[in-house]
Amino acid sequence: MKRKDQMIGSAFLCALLCLLMAVSGCQSMEDQNYTVPAAEKSETVNLKFFGNKNEALNVVAIEEILKAYMEEYPDVNITYESVKGADYFDVLMKRIRSGNGDDIFMINHDTMLELMKTGELADLSGLPTIEDFSPGARSQMTFDGVVPFVPTSISAFGLYCNLGLLAENNLEVPETYAEFLAACEVFSEKDITPIVANNDISLKTLAISRGMFEVYKGGGAEKALEQMNADPSLLAEAMRPGFEMVHLFIDRGYVDAGRTLKTEKTKDDLADFATGSYPFMLTGAWASPRVAALNPGLNYKVYPYPAQEDGSVLVTNVDTRVAVNARSAHVEEAKKFLEYLTQKDVMWEFVDSQSSFSPLEDNRLSSDPAVQPLNAYMTNGRSILGTDSNLKYPIWDLSKESVRGLLKGQSVEEVLGDFEAGLKKSQPGGAQ
């Protein structure tokens, strides 16, 4: 009986308290501020960023950016992993196809084409920073109505010139195709191989500068690329002069074919050129800090390719393309990081670490003195894209294979036949 009286008393007290709260106008639970118990707080989001930038300066710049972001957003943890060279893209595709793709990763033109087919890339068109990109960069970022990546640099490919060696032989930096051939012949006659080239980007970008310049000259590229998309034989024929140029250089010994096939990009080629024994090297401008570190006393600069009768051509790429995995568990968090990465001052840290150019409207130019000769070509109408997003073919990989064929002794006609066959195979419904 006593227990029953206690229960009745407790119920009465509870009802009385509720009545007093109602009369006093107390807030409802939804309107009250309260601390979430520790067990209910959101956990740290872990993002994985996979890329092919592993040079010390690049990695330091990336790590500084990640550190600053994590300080601003302490509930996010980002780790960066890299694989060097062409192997990166093989690893990337294996990870994605096995369902183990990273949240954020770097892609190039050719992997973009593949990943767009299977819906692996998140649409980034909603990023607030998209409008900060230059019109030229934005024209490369939209593909089939979506923005599958954001570029974080404009890479340039150039002719590294050993100015001291040229002066010793009473030669100026070549500006035309004829001057380039003449300079190479001077060194070849002295049993000096004129050109250091690697087995990846060197000769294919030279071929593109020779073959594709007429397509871009005069601003009529859009229509020409549409025609090439409809008829790949037009692209193959456009590349003919470029492959003929490479074949000529190999045939005359201006390039050591056997050595080039074994020369790794941004490693063996730089070591050779840094000895000071070679007059020229073909590779990306981003390698300039590495050359300077290998031989601080080397007097060199980087110039556009002297690939045309009327002057030089700068080959560029809207590059270091960063994408978000559409199948990531943290798509929105990954997009938020890319919004941060593409802010002007943040991006510039990464761009300048690569001796590259900004894809943003501010048009900042590289602070590396060795690449200053490239600056004027960013705006003088004599630059072309190595991989144009409006061209729906994997020209980057196919031109590399074509050059390897020439280095192994194939004729220009054989290479062009294989190149065109590769273009047709890459078309939707092409032969597998």
Side-chain angles (χ1 to χ4, degrees):
M1 189 71 178
K2 183 177 179 182
R3 184 177 180 185
K4 183 176 181 181
D5 290 342
Q6 288 175 333
M7 292 176 66
I8 293 172
S10 297
F12 175 76
L13 181 59
C14 184
L16 181 60
L17 287 171
C18 288
L19 179 62
L20 289 172
M21 289 173 68
V23 172
S24 63
C26 288
Q27 293 176 307
S28 66
M29 285 297 291
E30 288 79 10
D31 294 331
Q32 293 181 41
N33 294 319
Y34 61 97
T35 303
V36 180
E40 296 181 27
K41 289 183 179 178
S42 61
E43 296 180 357
T44 299
V45 172
N46 292 302
L47 297 177
K48 294 187 293 181
F49 184 5
F50 188 42
N52 60 348
K53 297 297 180 182
N54 66 347
E55 292 296 318
L57 287 173
N58 302 162
V59 173
V60 168
I62 292 172
E63 289 179 346
E64 287 297 321
I65 292 169
L66 299 187
K67 180 181 177 182
Y69 185 78
M70 288 186 285
E71 288 176 352
E72 187 169 338
Y73 298 93
D75 58 335
V76 177
N77 182 60
I78 310 179
T79 56
Y80 176 73
E81 178 189 359
S82 66
V83 170
K84 181 178 173 64
D87 290 342
Y88 165 78
F89 294 102
D90 292 334
V91 176
L92 171 67
M93 297 303 286
K94 286 176 183 177
R95 288 187 179 189
I96 292 173
R97 286 168 178 160
S98 66
N100 296 307
D102 300 88
D103 303 289
I104 304 162
F105 44 76
M106 295 178 185
I107 58 174
N108 64 7
H109 173 264
D110 294 0
T111 52
M112 179 197 72
L113 294 177
E114 282 297 310
L115 296 174
M116 284 287 289
K117 292 176 184 176
T118 52
E120 307 290 348
L121 305 179
D123 183 8
L124 305 178
S125 57
L127 292 185
T129 51
I130 293 295
E131 293 303 314
D132 294 333
F133 286 87
S134 68
R138 288 203 302 273
S139 73
Q140 295 298 302
M141 294 161 59
T142 303
F143 190 85
D144 287 347
V146 303
V147 176
F149 68 88
V150 287
T152 56
S153 70
I154 295 180
S155 299
F157 305 87
L159 180 71
Y160 284 65
C161 294
N162 181 334
L163 300 179
L165 201 53
L166 290 179
E168 288 176 15
N169 288 273
N170 300 312
L171 292 170
E172 300 288 338
V173 172
E175 295 183 2
T176 66
Y177 185 33
E179 291 173 359
F180 194 18
L181 291 175
C184 287
E185 188 61 27
V186 167
F187 289 102
S188 183
E189 289 177 354
K190 295 184 177 183
D191 293 326
I192 297 173
T193 301
I195 302 171
V196 174
N198 61 57
N199 59 12
D200 188 352
I201 59 173
S202 294
L203 295 172
K204 75 179 181 185
T205 52
L206 184 65
I208 289 170
S209 74
R210 176 74 173 167
M212 296 296 286
F213 180 66
E214 288 299 322
V215 173
Y216 287 88
K217 190 175 180 180
E222 186 174 343
K223 183 178 180 181
L225 295 178
E226 285 180 5
Q227 293 172 337
M228 289 176 178
N229 284 332
D231 183 358
S233 67
L234 296 176
L235 175 56
E237 194 57 32
M239 284 295 294
R240 176 185 290 275
F243 293 142
E244 288 176 342
M245 179 186 195
V246 172
H247 184 269
L248 177 67
F249 279 28
I250 294 169
D251 188 54
R252 292 188 179 182
Y254 297 164
V255 173
D256 184 329
R259 188 178 182 86
T260 299
L261 284 168
K262 300 175 182 177
T263 299
E264 287 190 39
K265 178 182 70 176
T266 327
K267 183 181 177 182
D268 301 333
D269 51 355
L270 307 192
D272 284 345
F273 185 70
T275 64
S277 302
Y278 299 88
F280 305 117
M281 176 174 69
L282 304 165
T283 196
W286 64 80
S288 175
R290 179 76 174 271
V291 172
L294 288 171
N295 185 350
L298 184 63
N299 182 17
Y300 76 94
K301 285 191 176 181
V302 188
Y303 296 83
Y305 289 149
Q308 298 291 325
E309 281 74 10
D310 64 345
S312 298
V313 178
L314 179 63
V315 178
T316 66
N317 271 340
V318 177
D319 216 353
T320 319
R321 305 177 179 200
V322 184
V324 169
N325 187 346
R327 308 194 192 285
S328 164
H330 306 293
V331 170
E332 293 308 313
E333 292 87 348
K335 287 183 179 181
K336 188 70 177 177
F337 170 69
L338 290 196
E339 179 185 339
Y340 176 84
L341 178 63
T342 50
Q343 294 178 42
K344 292 182 180 180
D345 290 338
V346 175
M347 185 185 288
W348 183 246
E349 293 181 40
F350 186 43
V351 170
D352 210 30
S353 76
Q354 302 178 76
S355 293
S356 295
F357 302 89
S358 174
L360 301 181
E361 288 263 33
D362 57 353
N363 292 321
R364 297 191 202 183
L365 299 174
S366 175
S367 61
D368 183 351
V371 305
Q372 295 302 311
L374 304 179
N375 288 348
Y377 283 76
M378 295 296 295
T379 56
N380 70 358
R382 295 191 68 88
S383 68
I384 66 171
L385 290 164
T387 54
D388 194 316
S389 292
N390 297 303
L391 190 61
K392 299 184 179 182
Y393 297 109
I395 186 175
W396 205 238
D397 285 344
L398 290 175
S399 57
K400 174 184 174 180
E401 289 306 310
S402 297
V403 166
R404 289 182 66 84
L406 292 171
L407 290 168
K408 292 178 179 179
Q410 282 188 289
S411 69
V412 172
E413 294 304 322
E414 289 174 317
V415 162
L416 279 170
D418 291 342
F419 183 74
E420 186 172 343
L423 294 174
K424 291 178 178 178
K425 183 178 179 181
S426 70
Q427 289 180 307
Q432 299 299 311

